[in-house]
Amino acid sequence: RFENMLCTMAVSGREIKNLLEYSYSEWICTMRTIEDPMFLLGKPLSADTPAWFKNIVWDFDTACGIDYDIDLRQPYGKRITIHGLYNPLQESVPLQPFLPDKQYTVVVNSYRACGGGLLWTRGAGIPHRELPKRIISTTREDIRTILAKHLAQQPLTPQLISRWRFLPKEWAEYHKSDLKW
């Protein structure tokens, strides 16, 4: 609903992992048993509505192009295990190493690139004043316009391309209906 541009940013592998740790800490509980709550939920608005997330949902990030696990049993800082990088358009190519000290170029919207959601500042530990220096490029057109032009030229065939998963898998399956989407 807001005009966001696409931005590329330079960040380290460690910063990406820390951002993911922070993001998941904002919407996932640390569980001890399968019956423990999985999601950080607020109170329902009424008896007729299900509980919804305690924190703002547009500030939850996942990552495409990174193969990783989120262990629901682990505390903040130890929850994310990254197995490597993949190309979502070339699934048959083996995983490439993901290195904490390597600089990567990531694509995010302008809200996130400018510090929205605090994931780069609180999560990754990048000072807010440094964020503009990390931006490599920004599109001239907003994301909505880019998508509209693309869809006018060719149809979109949606497909699942993310490779992250909750562990233990059985625990996540047990809770998949908690949100009643």
Side-chain angles (χ1 to χ4, degrees), residues 82-95:
I82 298 176
H83 303 290
L85 299 171
Y86 69 95
N87 182 334
L89 303 176
Q90 296 177 324
E91 286 289 320
S92 62
V93 175
L95 287 178

Side-chain angles (χ1 to χ4, degrees), residues 14-31 40 70-80 118-125:
R14 183 172 288 102
E15 291 165 336
I16 293 168
K17 182 184 182 296
N18 290 343
L19 176 141
L20 290 171
E21 287 280 357
Y22 181 79
S23 177
Y24 284 98
S25 77
E26 292 289 291
W27 60 289
I28 300 297
C29 297
T30 301
M31 300 170 65
L40 285 170
I70 308 99
D71 192 329
L72 299 167
R73 301 163 295 189
Q74 295 300 318
Y76 177 69
K78 297 182 179 181
R79 184 172 281 164
I80 306 295
L118 306 175
L119 279 86
W120 288 122
T121 53
R122 281 191 190 162

Side-chain angles (χ1 to χ4, degrees), residues 1-4 58 144:
R1 106 181 202 199
F2 298 104
E3 309 304 332
N4 272 293
W58 56 81
R144 183 180 3 212

Side-chain angles (χ1 to χ4, degrees), residues 58-143:
W58 56 81
D59 285 336
F60 302 158
D61 277 5
T62 61
C64 182
I66 302 174
D67 185 295
Y68 65 100
D69 297 329
I70 308 99
D71 192 329
L72 299 167
R73 301 163 295 189
Q74 295 300 318
Y76 177 69
K78 297 182 179 181
R79 184 172 281 164
I80 306 295
T81 301
I82 298 176
H83 303 290
L85 299 171
Y86 69 95
N87 182 334
L89 303 176
Q90 296 177 324
E91 286 289 320
S92 62
V93 175
L95 287 178
Q96 300 299 309
F98 182 86
L99 305 169
D101 294 322
K102 183 175 177 180
Q103 289 294 305
Y104 293 97
T105 300
V106 298
V107 179
V108 296
N109 67 25
S110 52
Y111 168 75
R112 188 69 76 231
C114 294
L118 306 175
L119 279 86
W120 288 122
T121 53
R122 281 191 190 162
I126 301 170
H128 193 270
R129 68 184 174 281
E130 190 179 318
L131 289 174
K133 299 175 199 169
R134 300 292 191 99
I135 297 172
I136 300 166
S137 66
T138 303
T139 58
R140 292 177 190 255
E141 295 180 310
D142 64 272
I143 296 170

Side-chain angles (χ1 to χ4, degrees), residues 64 86-91 155-163:
C64 182
Y86 69 95
N87 182 334
L89 303 176
Q90 296 177 324
E91 286 289 320
L156 182 65
T157 307
Q159 57 184 338
L160 180 63
I161 58 172
S162 62
R163 286 185 23 192

